Amino acid sequence: MAGYNLAFAAMTIAAFGAALLGFLGGRLGDTGRAAAVSAGQLDTAQRESEVAALTWSWRTTQLGIGLLCLALSTVVVLLIRTHHTRRRTA
């Protein structure tokens, strides 16, 4: 069971990183620069804009995860309610 949990954690981290880099690359217009910024290598001349892009990308990724959790929890509630209703009528 521990191997399953580790694999799931690794996939979650990879998906989060991919989303973050995707948003950051779109915001900066350069995927190579996005990788450097996410690693902490900021360009002195563009520091403000890169920090703003990273902040926006981080918040957008967090918002996406929050919305996904909300949608999945709604599905779980509906499934439980449907199952509970079927057991009561049977």
Side-chain angles (χ1 to χ4, degrees), residues 4 10 16 24 27 47 49 52 76 81:
Y4 173 76
F16 179 85
L24 186 56
R27 197 74 168 179
R47 183 181 177 93
S49 65
V76 168
R81 182 179 289 167

Side-chain angles (χ1 to χ4, degrees), residues 3-76:
Y4 173 76
N5 290 336
L6 289 176
F8 182 75
M11 288 176 50
T12 303
I13 292 168
F16 179 85
L20 180 63
L21 280 174
F23 286 131
L24 186 56
R27 197 74 168 179
L28 294 175
D30 180 11
T31 56
R33 190 71 209 131
V37 168
S38 67
Q41 300 169 353
L42 302 174
D43 184 6
T44 308
Q46 299 177 358
R47 183 181 177 93
E48 294 291 325
S49 65
E50 289 177 345
V51 168
L54 181 59
T55 301
W56 180 87
S57 300
W58 184 269
R59 289 177 179 168
T60 304
T61 303
Q62 291 289 319
L63 178 63
I65 291 171
L67 291 174
L68 177 64
C69 289
L70 177 63
L72 293 176
S73 63
T74 302
V75 168
V76 168

